[in-house]
Amino acid sequence: MLAILALTTSFVFFAPAPQSDGDSGALDAAIGRIVERGLASDHAFTWLTELCDDIGPRLSGSAQAEQAVEWGRARLEEAGADRVVLHPVNVARWVRGEVERARILEPADHRLAVLALGGSIATPPGGITAPVIVVKTFEELRSRASEARGKIVLFNRAMGETADDGSRKLGYGDAVQQRTNGAIEAAKVGAVASVIRSVGTKGAEYRLPHTGMMRYEDGVKRIPHAALAAEDADLIARLVARHPRVMLNLELDCRDEGTVQSHNVIADLRGRERPDEVVLICGHLDSWDVGHGAHDDGVGVVASMEVIRLLKSLDLRPRRTIRCVLFMNEENGLAGGLGYAKDYARELAGHVAAIEMDGGAFGFSGFGVSAGEGGVAMVDDVARRIRSVPGYESLRVRPGGGGADIGPLSRAGNVPMLSIDSDSETYFRYHHTHADTLDKVDPRELARHAAAYAALVYALAEMERPLPRLAAR
Amino acid sequence: MLAILALTTSFVFFAPAPQSDGDSGALDAAIGRIVERGLASDHAFTWLTELCDDIGPRLSGSAQAEQAVEWGRARLEEAGADRVVLHPVNVARWVRGEVERARILEPADHRLAVLALGGSIATPPGGITAPVIVVKTFEELRSRASEARGKIVLFNRAMGETADDGSRKLGYGDAVQQRTNGAIEAAKVGAVASVIRSVGTKGAEYRLPHTGMMRYEDGVKRIPHAALAAEDADLIARLVARHPRVMLNLELDCRDEGTVQSHNVIADLRGRERPDEVVLICGHLDSWDVGHGAHDDGVGVVASMEVIRLLKSLDLRPRRTIRCVLFMNEENGLAGGLGYAKDYARELAGHVAAIEMDGGAFGFSGFGVSAGEGGVAMVDDVARRIRSVPGYESLRVRPGGGGADIGPLSRAGNVPMLSIDSDSETYFRYHHTHADTLDKVDPRELARHAAAYAALVYALAEMERPLPRLAAR
């Protein structure tokens, strides 16, 4: 309580930065009020508790995902949105099933920590048993194609490893290739199944597999594809180095149950002057079916909802409309993002920005911006105002923001994209695992994300001149 | 290699500490050679790789446990022991089975991370479904006995919590009570099953349950007893605080398959002057059936074996016999330790010390000593010599060493007990979990433990006057 009083005092004497724009002082004051109120709020965490504990994991097409849709609609109405609609989208219903086992049979009996990857087909009952071949890259696999025939391929490239050319550490985008395309590449060389080293950062070596989306390709045989804990990938690699044959049994009964209807939840806070100009803000409501989807992306959902609630509670109605979208199916199909871009195509010319928060809430670091010339500097001018608030001094604006859900609408309408940035090193320890649970979220850190997020959104919806649009692609 | 040369140099000019004992200089020189050779050795880790990777988990009564016995015998013979015998002991064969599920059914559907506790009975097929009651202590449970009837009890006391009287942080010995005796206490108040918050330290919040031994009591109904990940205990506690009823389903098909014969492996390096006086050194060969039993207690096994190998390879044969025992069944019955005390009762008067290494190898910290008056100071005089070696400066000797396997022989023969101490905070993150795997062991840190261990053992076997025996209890 003392801390809040101290902050209040600092806002009372908040000195507007020198600025040619006549509204600058008003914007400073509004940002000060938003951040102050946001930091003192526990609404986002209360909502997150409902989403994680009372609903739980919410894979697209599941009963819990539908519960989450209804919950999102109800809470956004309570938060004071002017209009909440459910936007229908068709999503794949993939089900993990009850059997999920990986076991080394030779040279020793080891049960492994495994998760089927989203979209994988099942194995036959009893599983697939074959020798393992371990590779680091698709190139290595192709060069050893004759060896791989009839085997189970282990793709054992770790996120954070140094790239072959020594130029950089491999990021998520690099490491995730073995997850997304591994089954295709393995099938092309005649492998009977494939497994990957889980895609995650160091620090979570507690036998924790990471699931995620994988793909098949028309014309290429579909083979089962699963993720092993880092330790189990290491174990197999050690055994293969020391023994002539390492036999693996993989048994999965996951399955595709066709397409079902689900929804994006869309809530508008109508603009006072230019209601047809829209700042879209979002997180995704679906999660993987393991863990609680707390950081991925419960925090993005509740922080986006908190933006609406905060502005409404402060009676701050900016020039433009703020549209909060809780997207469905970000994890395994992107039906929500694709459907929005298609069904709202006629409105996209009026979308002045789209902001996604989908990187967890481990440590707020700033904003990412993909906009036309000068856009980063405009966002930095907003950021400068937030940096005046104690605790936000190191807020960083970087070029290159975006998000999976807003990619399609941005491409379709050249809409500037922004992201709410957080500590990604910690995020990827928990990403897509059983351990992405509510207890990992610090309520104060979540409020710190939401408060800055709300200030940014208000500024983008209020400032006279919108961000420069992206060039047509 | 440079580091090793540097160490060698420091030993060449090793200055004997001022000392009345005429053999002091010789002891200093021997300790210097042992530590030097030990630090440069990778034997212990090579053996650990065989034990963890090529054999794997080795719960008493399993085929892998028998493999480990044969492996231990063969390796100790290769290491140069004068005589290796298998000492028969009868162990319980408890089997985890294939079904092990805990699931919250109301107010939401949550699958939990669970491990049956060793010795637990199964549930009926389909499991036991009942509301949960959450308690912190046995006292709280008894005071709420009427509430607990027909329910599943969650014992939710965390290791590291502050004791009720504020006097201290709860250690393993405190927290483990809910694991050992929880099913008895829960059954006494009419509960239908019990679960515990896993016994482990902070830092492993990756949805990781810890198994371990539990007990039943004659005359008290036997109910299933299992451990949940810390996150799942937290989840249940949060739900119980916010909802009128939280329903849990627990399904286990673990079972007791009676008693089978197994063995302690006993290897002697015979003493040159007093072969009937014995310094017993040990670790335990069995492990839990999850993880590789790398730190618990693979490292204790291979470090004890390395003591024999090091002394033999240096042609150092001390006055007394050094007996390396790889005990069976430390984890769930202590048949090895009890059997040794019984079957070797006539030799115990000649046992001058018993040393157990069963605390992992995360960070060597020193020696624990339980001996008669003056014993700690005598060990500290040995420790002083090891502290002269770079890297061992902070080696600490504390009163109170011991080990589960050597407890019975010490009680029976008043034999001084010592332990090889390591970082226990880190150890208890991995203890009894799927994550106790080879990759968690640093080969150099393991060698650092083994080298100091060997120096201590040599000194105790060589020095003229043995440690003062414990008082009769």
Side-chain angles (χ1 to χ4, degrees):
Chain A
M1 200 58 183
L2 271 177
I4 292 165
L5 285 175
L7 281 177
T8 310
T9 309
S10 73
F11 294 135
V12 169
F13 299 102
F14 200 88
Q19 170 89 1
S20 58
D21 185 342
D23 283 349
S24 179
L27 184 57
D28 279 340
I31 285 177
R33 289 175 65 205
I34 292 166
V35 175
E36 174 191 7
R37 181 72 66 93
L39 289 174
S41 164
D42 59 5
H43 269 82
F45 190 77
T46 299
W47 282 333
L48 188 64
T49 302
E50 295 175 348
L51 188 62
C52 292
D53 284 6
D54 301 348
I55 297 174
R58 42 199 182 277
L59 186 60
S60 293
S62 68
Q64 290 101 315
E66 293 318 290
Q67 267 183 274
V69 166
E70 284 307 322
W71 168 87
R73 165 155 73 177
R75 290 292 173 272
L76 279 164
E77 281 170 354
E78 290 163 25
D82 298 308
R83 193 185 69 129
V84 185
V85 299
L86 300 189
H87 170 222
V89 290
N90 291 323
V91 300
R93 184 175 144 84
W94 178 82
V95 176
R96 185 169 298 279
E98 292 297 322
V99 179
E100 195 165 54
R101 276 195 282 258
R103 191 165 178 172
I104 299 173
L105 305 178
E106 293 176 33
D109 184 6
H110 284 282
R111 292 169 188 232
L112 310 182
V114 64
L115 282 173
L117 291 168
S120 175
I121 62 166
T123 65
I128 291 173
T129 301
V132 189
I133 176 174
V134 183
V135 300
K136 281 276 194 181
T137 63
F138 294 156
E139 294 66 41
E140 182 186 351
L141 178 63
R142 287 191 284 266
S143 76
R144 297 172 63 190
S146 62
E147 254 184 280
R149 173 163 301 277
K151 294 213 174 77
I152 297 175
V153 176
L154 165 61
F155 293 103
N156 193 24
R157 170 148 268 184
M159 187 174 166
E161 261 180 39
T162 303
D164 287 343
D165 64 2
S167 63
R168 67 188 199 291
K169 295 221 168 198
L170 297 176
Y172 181 69
D174 303 295
V176 82
Q177 295 304 320
Q178 63 192 6
R179 192 189 80 203
T180 312
N181 298 312
I184 298 168
E185 297 296 325
K188 280 180 179 170
V189 295
V192 292
S194 48
V195 291
I196 64 165
R197 182 190 189 91
S198 283
V199 180
T201 38
K202 288 247 174 219
E205 285 73 26
Y206 291 89
R207 214 82 185 264
L208 190 69
H210 298 238
T211 189
M213 184 61 179
M214 52 81 64
R215 296 194 312 116
Y216 290 118
E217 193 173 286
D218 287 344
V220 180
K221 187 175 158 61
R222 296 177 173 223
I223 61 174
H225 193 43
L228 302 179
E231 287 100 328
D232 292 322
D234 284 339
L235 171 63
I236 291 174
R238 287 196 305 270
L239 289 174
V240 163
R242 294 177 49 242
H243 295 274
R245 193 167 87 148
V246 176
M247 290 296 283
L248 186 68
N249 173 268
L250 178 70
E251 184 172 12
L252 309 174
D253 73 351
C254 46
R255 58 192 179 277
D256 205 323
E257 295 192 342
T259 298
V260 299
Q261 191 180 75
S262 186
H263 299 87
N264 295 327
V265 183
I266 304 180
D268 283 358
L269 188 69
R270 224 179 333 269
R272 70 168 193 278
E273 282 182 12
R274 307 180 201 164
D276 295 339
E277 290 186 20
V278 171
V279 174
L280 185 148
I281 65 176
C282 69
H284 64 85
L285 204 46
D286 65 308
S287 76
W288 279 103
D289 56 338
V290 297
H292 302 169
H295 280 279
D296 185 15
D297 180 31
V299 295
V301 163
V302 299
S304 299
M305 292 163 61
E306 171 74 344
V307 172
I308 299 290
R309 194 201 64 81
L310 272 175
L311 298 185
K312 183 76 184 180
S313 78
L314 287 165
D315 210 17
L316 286 167
R317 186 176 289 271
R319 280 195 175 88
R320 301 181 183 85
T321 292
I322 297 170
R323 174 169 294 173
C324 172
V325 185
L326 314 182
F327 281 105
M328 181 52 62
N329 193 224
E330 190 272 346
E331 294 295 5
N332 58 338
L334 211 62
L338 293 165
Y340 185 91
K342 181 164 160 284
D343 298 341
Y344 288 77
R346 293 202 315 184
E347 297 185 18
L348 295 183
H351 280 41
V352 302
I355 312 177
E356 183 149 9
M357 175 165 162
D358 186 21
F362 281 103
F364 175 68
S365 60
F367 309 126
V369 184
S370 296
E373 183 76 28
V376 171
M378 285 176 71
V379 174
D380 199 64
D381 187 63
V382 176
R384 181 179 54 75
R385 299 161 199 264
I386 303 172
R387 279 188 209 109
S388 319
V389 181
Y392 284 109
E393 295 85 351
S394 62
L395 191 164
R396 183 195 54 163
V397 177
R398 65 173 176 96
D405 294 300
I406 57 179
L409 73 88
S410 172
R411 277 190 295 277
N414 307 316
V415 181
M417 287 195 292
L418 297 90
S419 52
I420 307 301
D421 290 347
S422 194
D423 166 11
S424 64
E425 190 72 17
T426 307
Y427 178 66
F428 281 112
R429 291 185 193 162
Y430 298 97
H431 184 247
H432 295 186
T433 74
H434 291 289
D436 182 9
T437 49
L438 182 68
D439 53 287
K440 306 307 182 310
V441 180
D442 175 350
R444 296 179 70 93
E445 189 58 45
L446 174 57
R448 212 164 76 87
H449 285 71
Y453 186 4
L456 171 69
V457 170
Y458 177 80
L460 293 178
E462 179 63 14
M463 59 196 193
E464 182 57 37
R465 194 160 54 92
L467 294 180
R469 296 184 88 76
L470 286 160
R473 280 158 291 180
Chain B
M1 200 56 183
L2 271 178
I4 292 166
L5 285 176
L7 282 176
T8 310
T9 310
S10 74
F11 294 134
V12 169
F13 301 102
F14 199 87
Q19 169 91 359
S20 58
D21 184 343
D23 283 350
S24 178
L27 184 58
D28 279 340
I31 286 178
R33 290 175 64 206
I34 292 167
V35 175
E36 174 191 7
R37 181 73 66 90
L39 289 173
S41 163
D42 59 4
H43 270 82
F45 190 77
T46 299
W47 282 333
L48 189 64
T49 302
E50 295 175 348
L51 188 61
C52 292
D53 285 5
D54 300 349
I55 297 174
R58 42 199 182 276
L59 186 59
S60 293
S62 67
Q64 291 101 315
E66 293 319 291
Q67 268 183 274
V69 166
E70 284 308 321
W71 168 88
R73 169 156 70 178
R75 291 293 174 271
L76 280 164
E77 281 170 355
E78 290 163 25
D82 299 307
R83 193 184 69 129
V84 184
V85 299
L86 300 188
H87 169 221
V89 290
N90 291 321
V91 300
R93 184 175 143 85
W94 178 83
V95 176
R96 186 169 296 281
E98 292 297 322
V99 180
E100 194 165 54
R101 277 195 282 257
R103 191 165 177 171
I104 299 173
L105 305 178
E106 292 175 34
D109 185 5
H110 284 282
R111 291 170 189 230
L112 310 182
V114 65
L115 282 174
L117 291 168
S120 175
I121 61 166
T123 66
I128 291 172
T129 300
V132 189
I133 175 174
V134 183
V135 299
K136 281 276 193 179
T137 63
F138 294 156
E139 295 66 42
E140 182 186 352
L141 179 63
R142 286 192 282 265
S143 76
R144 297 172 63 192
S146 62
E147 255 184 279
R149 175 163 299 278
K151 294 212 174 76
I152 297 174
V153 176
L154 165 61
F155 293 101
N156 193 24
R157 170 148 269 185
M159 190 174 166
E161 263 182 37
T162 304
D164 287 344
D165 63 3
S167 62
R168 68 188 196 291
K169 296 221 168 197
L170 298 176
Y172 182 69
D174 303 297
V176 82
Q177 294 304 319
Q178 62 192 4
R179 192 189 81 203
T180 312
N181 298 313
I184 298 168
E185 297 296 324
K188 280 180 179 170
V189 297
V192 292
S194 48
V195 290
I196 64 165
R197 181 190 190 90
S198 283
V199 180
T201 37
K202 289 246 175 220
E205 285 72 28
Y206 291 90
R207 213 83 184 266
L208 189 69
H210 298 238
T211 189
M213 184 59 179
M214 53 82 64
R215 295 195 313 117
Y216 291 118
E217 192 172 286
D218 286 345
V220 179
K221 188 173 157 62
R222 295 177 174 223
I223 60 175
H225 193 43
L228 301 179
E231 288 99 328
D232 291 322
D234 284 339
L235 171 63
I236 290 174
R238 287 196 305 270
L239 289 173
V240 163
R242 294 177 49 242
H243 295 275
R245 195 167 85 147
V246 176
M247 291 294 283
L248 186 67
N249 173 267
L250 177 70
E251 184 172 11
L252 309 174
D253 73 352
C254 45
R255 58 192 178 277
D256 205 322
E257 294 192 342
T259 298
V260 298
Q261 192 180 75
S262 187
H263 300 88
N264 294 327
V265 182
I266 303 181
D268 283 357
L269 188 69
R270 222 177 337 266
R272 71 169 192 278
E273 283 182 13
R274 306 180 202 165
D276 295 339
E277 290 186 21
V278 171
V279 174
L280 185 148
I281 64 175
C282 68
H284 64 84
L285 205 46
D286 65 308
S287 76
W288 280 103
D289 56 338
V290 297
H292 302 169
H295 280 280
D296 186 14
D297 180 29
V299 295
V301 164
V302 299
S304 300
M305 292 162 60
E306 171 75 343
V307 171
I308 300 290
R309 194 202 64 81
L310 273 174
L311 298 186
K312 184 75 184 181
S313 78
L314 287 164
D315 209 17
L316 285 168
R317 184 177 290 271
R319 282 196 175 87
R320 301 182 184 84
T321 292
I322 297 170
R323 173 169 295 172
C324 173
V325 185
L326 314 182
F327 280 106
M328 181 51 63
N329 193 224
E330 190 272 347
E331 293 295 5
N332 58 337
L334 211 61
L338 292 165
Y340 185 91
K342 181 165 161 285
D343 297 340
Y344 287 76
R346 292 201 316 183
E347 296 185 18
L348 296 182
H351 280 41
V352 302
I355 312 178
E356 183 149 8
M357 176 165 162
D358 186 20
F362 281 104
F364 175 67
S365 60
F367 309 125
V369 184
S370 297
E373 183 76 30
V376 172
M378 285 176 71
V379 174
D380 199 64
D381 187 62
V382 177
R384 180 178 54 75
R385 300 160 198 263
I386 304 173
R387 277 186 211 110
S388 319
V389 180
Y392 284 109
E393 295 85 351
S394 63
L395 191 164
R396 183 194 53 162
V397 177
R398 65 172 176 95
D405 293 300
I406 57 178
L409 74 88
S410 172
R411 277 190 295 279
N414 308 316
V415 181
M417 288 194 293
L418 296 90
S419 53
I420 306 301
D421 291 347
S422 194
D423 167 10
S424 64
E425 191 72 17
T426 308
Y427 178 67
F428 281 112
R429 291 184 191 162
Y430 298 97
H431 183 248
H432 295 187
T433 74
H434 291 289
D436 182 8
T437 49
L438 182 68
D439 52 288
K440 306 307 181 310
V441 180
D442 175 350
R444 296 179 69 92
E445 188 58 45
L446 174 57
R448 211 164 76 88
H449 286 70
Y453 186 4
L456 171 69
V457 170
Y458 177 80
L460 293 178
E462 178 64 13
M463 60 195 192
E464 182 58 36
R465 194 161 53 92
L467 293 180
R469 296 184 88 77
L470 286 160
R473 280 159 291 181

